[in-house]
């Protein structure tokens, strides 16, 4: 579809929603294939236009596919990503709202063409509010409280229902977890010539991660936002309790280990979270969920955080080396710090030994 044809779809969608005269202001893009515009109607509150062409990415994962079929279908199927589908966003939003959490209302939707009107939560991303001088602690503790609500709800349904239709909530399983970790060995050598891995090293890599992958898949028991961090949470202080945390960008939600969103938030790729704040946030979580085995949880937390950090380093390497986006290089030192800290845990000794053999210390700084 041409650019002009896509624009005509937008115009027709806005006209059908009574917003043909709204002033449109595009928002800056990110690493995805989505685009957003803020709409200012002649009357009433501002809204967001979410635009995700369904054909812009490879197909999402069919729940019936084997690991081999998923690898043949492409990365979205391997990682169990939604391919940005509007119906996925709408179904996850409906589930979050059913729990009293803050996901945007969706007053109009055209799932077939990948267009939706969303409630505008404003520009107060956690990261921006903190940059402007707000105390970060209440925001992070509110984000933890929202996760506790999500986790206390128990196992989510296998199929979510939303205004765009049903959407399967898939498990972040062994194939997805190992596929994410493998981004590291796929892409870091292409970015940094000091790192070289052969087939034997890759086999050892997978063996080292196997217990962590198995534990992460076995512990997949709650809905995970999957991209839960300060750039995807919007502060809504006029609301109460956990509803003060406005959630966006959750279309890739899966059934996952409850630690997944925790370490995404507290070991963030884009901003520093102090060890003291991380400890306070974890204390709040366990106080809200006293039935959780803290020792076992924290062992999984460290292992899956390390895996996620290896995954993100691989993604950033790909964005820099393949996609020509050098700005992601600034985040690598922080990810190495997180990874190095987690590799000190005894359960991660096999992974740490792999890094010692194959990744020079100067690369991991």
């Amino acid at each position: 579809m041409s650019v002009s044809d896509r624009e005509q779809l937008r115009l027709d969608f806005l006209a059908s929603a009574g917003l043909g005269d709204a002033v449109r202001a595009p928002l800056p893009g990110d690493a995805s294939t989505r685009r957003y515009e803020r709409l200012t109607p002649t009357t009433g509150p501002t809204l967001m236009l979410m635009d995700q062409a369904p054909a812009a990415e490879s197909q999402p994962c069919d729940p019936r596919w084997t690991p081999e079929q998923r690898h043949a279908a492409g990365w979205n199927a391997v990682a169990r990503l939604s391919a940005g589908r509007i119906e996925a966003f709408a179904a996850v939003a409906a589930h979050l709202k059913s729990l009293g959490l803050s996901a945007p209302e969706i007053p109009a939707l055209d799932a077939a063409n990948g267009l939706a009107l969303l409630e505008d939560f404003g520009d107060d991303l956690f990261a921006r509010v903190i940059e402007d001088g707000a105390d970060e602690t209440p925001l992070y503790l509110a984000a933890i409280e929202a996760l506790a609500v999500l986790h206390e709800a128990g196992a989510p349904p296998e199929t979510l229902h939303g205004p765009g239709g049903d959407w399967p909530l898939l498990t972040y399983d062994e194939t997805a977890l190992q596929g994410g970790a493998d981004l590291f060995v796929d892409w870091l050598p292409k970015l940094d010539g000091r790192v070289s891995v052969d087939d034997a090293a890759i086999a050892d890599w997978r063996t080292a991660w196997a217990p962590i992958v198995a534990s992460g898949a076995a512990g997949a028991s709650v809905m995970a936002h999957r991209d839960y961090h300060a750039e995807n949470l919007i502060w809504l202080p006029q609301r109460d309790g956990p509803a003060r945390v406005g959630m966006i960008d959750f279309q890739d939600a899966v059934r996952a280990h409850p630690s997944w969103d925790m370490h995404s938030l507290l070991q963030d790729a884009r901003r520093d979270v102090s060890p003291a704040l991380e400890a306070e946030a974890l204390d709040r979580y366990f106080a809200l969920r006293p039935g959780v085995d803290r020792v076992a949880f924290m062992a999984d937390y460290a292992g899956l955080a390390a895996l996620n950090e290896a995954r993100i380093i691989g993604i950033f390497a790909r964005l820099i080396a393949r996609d020509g986006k050098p700005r992601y290089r600034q985040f690598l030192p922080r990810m190495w710090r997180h990874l190095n800290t987690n590799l000190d845990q005894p359960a991660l000794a096999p992974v740490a030994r792999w890094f010692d053999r194959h990744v020079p210390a100067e690369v991991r700084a």
Side-chain angles (χ1 to χ4, degrees):
M1 180 180 292
S2 70
V3 173
S4 60
D5 289 342
R6 187 74 194 165
E7 174 61 10
Q8 190 60 53
L9 280 176
R10 295 185 202 106
L11 291 172
D12 293 344
F13 176 68
L14 292 174
S16 70
L19 293 167
D21 295 332
V23 176
R24 299 165 58 189
L27 272 64
D30 58 12
S32 75
T33 56
R34 286 183 306 281
R35 64 191 299 272
Y36 293 92
E37 296 179 7
R38 175 165 281 125
L39 308 173
T40 304
T42 53
T43 60
T46 59
L47 294 164
M48 301 297 294
L49 172 64
M50 182 179 181
D51 178 3
Q52 170 75 61
E57 299 189 17
S58 64
Q59 291 297 304
C61 184
D62 187 309
R64 300 165 295 182
W65 284 345
T66 65
E68 293 75 20
Q69 289 172 311
R70 286 160 64 182
H71 279 283
W75 177 246
N76 283 329
V78 171
R80 290 190 153 167
L81 298 169
S82 70
R85 295 300 176 85
I86 294 290
E87 58 267 38
F89 183 93
V92 176
H95 182 68
L96 293 171
K97 287 187 290 185
S98 76
L99 301 176
L101 300 172
S102 290
E105 298 288 343
I106 305 175
L109 181 75
D110 179 357
N113 287 310
L115 296 165
L117 287 179
L118 309 179
E119 176 185 6
D120 184 3
F121 279 165
D123 295 322
D124 286 340
L125 293 170
F126 275 32
R128 302 292 87 78
V129 171
I130 294 167
E131 285 172 0
D132 289 341
D135 181 358
E136 63 185 357
T137 300
L139 279 72
Y140 273 85
L141 296 184
I144 290 295
E145 291 164 9
L147 286 182
V149 169
L150 188 58
H151 297 172
E152 282 295 298
E158 293 184 0
T159 301
L160 304 178
H161 309 289
D166 291 347
W167 187 260
L169 188 73
L170 302 180
T171 297
Y172 206 7
D173 64 358
E174 290 95 336
T175 299
L177 287 163
Q178 188 63 60
D182 286 351
L183 291 173
F184 181 94
V185 290
D186 289 342
W187 287 100
L188 189 63
K190 294 180 174 66
L191 177 66
D192 195 323
R194 295 171 295 178
V195 179
S196 177
V197 294
D198 57 15
D199 289 346
I202 292 173
D204 289 344
W205 168 262
R206 292 173 179 161
T207 298
W209 284 113
I212 295 156
V213 167
S215 184
S221 58
V222 302
M223 176 189 278
H225 177 296
R226 201 175 180 176
D227 209 11
Y228 196 76
H229 57 75
E231 299 279 354
N232 276 341
L233 303 175
I234 298 176
W235 187 232
L236 304 173
Q238 71 278 15
R239 302 188 182 189
D240 296 324
R244 294 174 295 169
V245 182
M247 300 185 195
I248 58 173
D249 205 19
F250 43 66
Q251 58 280 339
D252 292 321
V254 286
R255 186 190 304 259
H257 193 287
S259 71
W260 193 266
D261 284 342
M262 301 276 287
H263 59 68
S264 294
L265 176 71
L266 300 176
Q267 297 188 13
D268 197 334
R270 292 170 175 80
R271 69 178 309 273
D272 291 329
V273 177
S274 71
L277 178 54
E278 181 180 15
E280 184 175 357
L282 288 166
D283 285 344
R284 175 65 62 88
Y285 180 78
F286 292 115
L288 292 168
R289 303 195 70 210
V292 173
D293 182 335
R294 181 166 185 159
V295 173
F297 185 100
M298 290 306 299
D300 288 339
Y301 175 93
L304 291 170
L307 185 147
N308 191 41
E309 285 140 14
R311 180 187 72 90
I312 292 171
I313 290 169
I315 290 172
F316 289 167
R318 183 177 63 189
L319 286 166
I320 299 163
R322 186 192 70 182
D323 300 337
K325 297 182 176 181
R327 72 184 184 90
Y328 287 92
R329 194 179 290 274
Q330 68 184 301
F331 303 128
L332 288 173
R334 181 180 295 110
M335 296 314 294
W336 281 118
R337 288 196 298 272
H338 290 319
L339 179 57
N340 292 335
T341 297
N342 287 310
L343 290 179
D344 285 337
Q345 297 298 313
L348 283 162
V351 180
R353 287 194 294 270
W354 187 95
F355 275 91
D356 289 341
R357 288 195 303 269
H358 299 289
V359 184
E362 60 268 23
V363 175
R364 298 161 55 188

